[in-house]
Amino acid sequence: MSLSVYLSGEIHTDWRDVIEKGARAAGLDVDFSAPVTDHDASDDCGVAILGAEETGFWKDHKGAKLNAIRTRTLIEQADVVVVRFGEKYKQWNAAFDAGYAAALGTPLVVLHAPEHTHALKEVDGAALAVAETPEQVVDILRYVLTGKLPG
């Protein structure tokens, strides 16, 4: 069995790399995808491709729509969606991705620190698993693919 896993959310830490390296080290057959994690490219894609805008609202509007083409397509193709909520920024897009995956019926794993449990209680309620570390996500993928427990 193989899995297609979409890694959504926070872009300021190496959590994606930890999961991808852990899955490779465990010999798991997983294909990973993600949003564009270059913050400037993600913010500027709309105006870079479709032309300049006079206001920040329309610049953001264009960028969000182009990013949504990628995000929606990859979430729809995923077998599992992992959404990471980081420490520093409000990730409204991550919450949207989690809701979209839940609405599609795609298995959802949420990843965040314990102190965000209350704020994310509705998102956690839609998830099939809530992890606190990227390593736990690797353990979840290992169990799903092989039925083996960590260790």
Side-chain angles (χ1 to χ4, degrees):
M1 176 161 67
S2 67
L3 287 177
S4 170
V5 177
Y6 184 75
L7 302 173
S8 173
E10 183 268 312
I11 65 169
H12 302 285
T13 63
D14 69 346
W15 69 275
R16 285 182 181 84
D17 291 334
V18 172
I19 291 171
E20 290 179 21
K21 287 177 185 172
R24 274 195 308 275
L28 302 179
D29 188 3
V30 180
D31 291 318
F32 292 100
S33 60
V36 172
T37 58
D38 176 326
H39 201 141
D40 291 335
S42 177
D43 284 350
D44 295 339
C45 67
V47 294
I49 296 168
L50 299 173
E53 289 293 340
E54 292 183 25
T55 66
F57 174 84
W58 290 112
K59 175 190 175 205
D60 287 346
H61 185 76
K62 277 184 178 179
K65 287 185 174 274
L66 290 186
N67 284 315
I69 294 169
R70 178 185 178 95
T71 301
R72 289 181 189 177
T73 300
L74 293 173
I75 289 174
E76 289 168 7
Q77 293 172 352
D79 298 312
V80 176
V81 173
V82 177
V83 180
R84 160 92 172 132
F85 292 89
E87 303 304 314
K88 188 172 180 184
Y89 300 99
K90 305 282 189 259
Q91 288 110 34
W92 309 119
N93 57 325
F96 186 88
D97 290 355
Y100 190 60
L104 292 171
T106 303
L108 175 64
V109 176
V110 176
L111 174 59
H112 63 75
E115 58 266 21
H116 298 308
T117 298
H118 179 72
L120 292 169
K121 64 186 173 290
E122 288 82 7
V123 175
D124 289 351
L128 295 180
V130 179
E132 294 178 4
T133 68
E135 292 82 7
Q136 288 176 324
V137 174
V138 174
D139 289 340
I140 290 167
L141 296 174
R142 179 186 301 107
Y143 180 76
V144 168
L145 284 166
T146 70
K148 295 181 181 171
L149 295 174

